Each structure stands twice: as C-alpha cells, then as structure tokens.
C-alpha cells in the first residue's frame, strides 16, 4: 500500500530576461521557498552558463537543466531534490523567426520520482500549435509523473493550450483559481502561464503571487503551487 504523498513546492516564472528589478526578483523566489523553479526567458546568450549559475545562486538554488540548449528555459532545484537525468529540446527543427525550446529533468524527492518540464511557446499564433505538439509528445512519452510549467502565450481557449493540457491537470482549475491572471503585471487581464501536472499528482494549493515586489520583478506574475507527489511503494 502506498504511503502519504510527498510534498513539492513549485514556482513557474517568466522572468522577462532579467530586464526588471533583479533584487526584487531574487526576493520573490526566496520568499516562496520552492523546491523547484521552472523559468522562462532565462539566460540563453553570451556566458549563459555563468549567468544561469548566478541566477540560481541569487535564488538559493542550483541549476538542473536548460539555458542556451533550451533557448532560455531553465530548471532550478533546491538541495532537497536530486536530479537523475536531463535533456533539452529546440523546436521547430528548422530555424524560424521565433525559435523556442524546452527543458526536462528527471528528479527524485523524498522517494518520489517525477519529470520536471518547462517551455515557452511563440507569440506567433501560426507557430504555437506545432511547438505545443512537440512539447506534448515529450510529456506524453514520459513514464514518470509530470510537472510542467509553461508560458503558452495564449489563454485556455487556445488550441496550443488545449494540446498541452490534454490528459493533465491544470493546477489553477484544480484549486478553483483559474480567474487569477498572470500577465501583464501592469494591467493583469490574461492567464497565459500555467502549471500542468500528471493526474496522479495532487494539487494542494495554487496562487498567482501579485505583490508590489512581483510587480517590480518581471512583466509576468509567478505561479506558486504546492503539490503532493505519489510516494513510491
């Protein structure tokens, strides 16, 4: 018989390429005390490894996967989380006007294994469906329970959103908080960022963190989710 679930605190956050108040950004993430952080628009250019490490250090975390190989998608973890394997993807396969990618990390925490994934889809509606399908193929092929953070650049009524969400739990909906908008901070009116999880994972709590500090830190609000992972055994 399986034991009680293993808690996991997740932040998913488009950090606007660190173009805003980086001190506020670090304070936002540290205050959340996450186990894992899924970053969109992280370092992806010159000296990206050093910049990713510096960003992780400012949060009190370490780099798991991502950066340039994932075109700015970045996965960070606390020392509570053991990273077992990582991979990065870029899509579309041929260079396009809006190159995007994804980062993946197989992780272990408290005896529970899971796949952590992050992606950022194009602002171009003509490009998003193929990118969503590529991301979804990776998620659907996973044998581990999936925890995915995504900036979809469209709302729940969009086809790309529906592609990614199929068969997964939308954490906002599960917590009855789908009315919480994530973008833009100056005038929040859209929910274009989401955390999707395997149906074996329980959603304990969900919040879009709207504070004076988060309004200074990025043009997106961070999503904070408490999960209960299925324990091994």
């Amino acid at each position: 018989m399986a034991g009680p679930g293993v808690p996991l605190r997740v932040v998913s956050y488009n950090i606007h390429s660190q173009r805003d108040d980086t001190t506020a950004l670090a304070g936002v993430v540290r205050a959340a005390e996450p186990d894992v952080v899924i970053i969109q628009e992280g370092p992806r250019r010159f000296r990206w490894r050093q910049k990713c490490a510096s960003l992780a250090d400012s949060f009190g975390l370490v780099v798991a996967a991502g950066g340039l190989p994932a075109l700015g998608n970045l996965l960070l973890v606390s020392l509570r989380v053991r990273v077992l394997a990582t991979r990065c993807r870029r899509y579309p396969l041929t260079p396009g006007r809006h190159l995007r990618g994804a980062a993946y990390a197989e992780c272990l925490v408290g005896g529970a294994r899971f796949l952590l994934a992050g992606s950022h889809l194009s602002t171009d509606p003509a490009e998003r469906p193929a990118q969503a399908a590529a991301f979804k193929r990776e998620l659907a092929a996973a044998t581990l329970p999936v925890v995915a953070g995504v900036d979809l650049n469209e709302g729940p009524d969009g086809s790309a959103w529906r592609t990614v969400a199929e068969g997964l739990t939308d954490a906002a909906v599960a917590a009855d908080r789908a009315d919480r908008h994530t973008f833009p901070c100056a005038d929040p009116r859209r929910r274009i960022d989401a955390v999707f999880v395997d149906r074996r994972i329980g959603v304990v709590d969900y919040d879009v963190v709207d504070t004076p500090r988060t309004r200074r830190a990025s043009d997106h609000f961070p999503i904070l989710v408490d999960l209960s992972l299925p324990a091994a055994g």
Side-chain angles (χ1 to χ4, degrees), residues 146-159:
V146 168
V147 176
V150 196
D151 175 355
L152 296 112
N153 268 310
E154 67 179 33
D157 57 343
S159 63

Side-chain angles (χ1 to χ4, degrees), residues 160-186:
W161 182 297
R162 291 193 296 270
T163 293
V164 176
E166 183 180 2
L168 299 173
T169 297
D170 181 336
V173 173
D176 196 24
R177 291 177 181 170
D179 60 337
R180 305 285 181 92
H181 296 158
T182 64
F183 177 84
C185 289

Side-chain angles (χ1 to χ4, degrees), residues 13 15 25-26 29-30 34 37 39 54-61 76:
Y13 204 174
I15 63 170
L25 178 65
V29 175
R30 282 183 175 269
V37 178
I39 293 289
S54 294
L55 178 67
D57 186 63
S58 75
F59 295 164
L61 303 170
L76 309 176

Side-chain angles (χ1 to χ4, degrees), residues 30-171:
R30 282 183 175 269
E33 298 183 326
D35 296 305
V36 299
V37 178
I38 305 166
I39 293 289
Q40 300 90 37
E41 292 196 31
R44 58 191 179 276
R45 295 189 177 93
F46 179 66
R47 297 172 65 189
W48 63 271
R49 289 183 181 84
Q50 180 179 338
K51 291 175 182 177
C52 287
S54 294
L55 178 67
D57 186 63
S58 75
F59 295 164
L61 303 170
V62 296
V63 174
L68 175 62
L71 297 171
N73 294 285
L74 183 63
L75 305 178
L76 309 176
V77 300
S78 73
L79 296 180
R80 178 173 176 254
V81 179
R82 181 181 172 192
V83 178
L84 304 175
T86 66
R87 63 185 182 277
C88 296
R89 297 285 186 265
R90 296 184 180 191
Y91 41 76
L93 296 178
T94 55
R97 191 160 49 90
H98 297 90
L99 283 173
R100 302 289 184 178
Y104 306 87
E106 296 180 16
C107 299
L108 176 68
V109 60
R113 294 181 63 175
F114 64 99
L115 177 68
L116 186 67
S119 189
H120 182 192
L121 304 187
S122 176
T123 57
D124 186 336
E127 294 179 332
R128 281 198 297 271
Q131 295 174 356
F135 185 54
K136 184 62 178 183
R137 282 194 294 273
E138 295 273 351
L139 301 184
T143 57
L144 298 176
V146 168
V147 176
V150 196
D151 175 355
L152 296 112
N153 268 310
E154 67 179 33
D157 57 343
S159 63
W161 182 297
R162 291 193 296 270
T163 293
V164 176
E166 183 180 2
L168 299 173
T169 297
D170 181 336

Side-chain angles (χ1 to χ4, degrees), residues 141-222:
T143 57
L144 298 176
V146 168
V147 176
V150 196
D151 175 355
L152 296 112
N153 268 310
E154 67 179 33
D157 57 343
S159 63
W161 182 297
R162 291 193 296 270
T163 293
V164 176
E166 183 180 2
L168 299 173
T169 297
D170 181 336
V173 173
D176 196 24
R177 291 177 181 170
D179 60 337
R180 305 285 181 92
H181 296 158
T182 64
F183 177 84
C185 289
D187 181 20
R189 59 188 182 274
R190 302 176 68 198
R191 185 166 80 98
I192 64 173
D193 307 275
V195 171
F196 300 106
V197 300
D198 189 285
R199 288 176 175 170
R200 291 169 286 180
I201 296 174
V203 178
V204 177
D205 199 10
Y206 172 98
D207 194 16
V208 174
V209 186
D210 180 355
T211 67
R213 186 157 59 179
T214 59
R215 287 175 179 255
R216 296 195 308 270
S218 178
D219 62 341
H220 289 244
F221 292 124

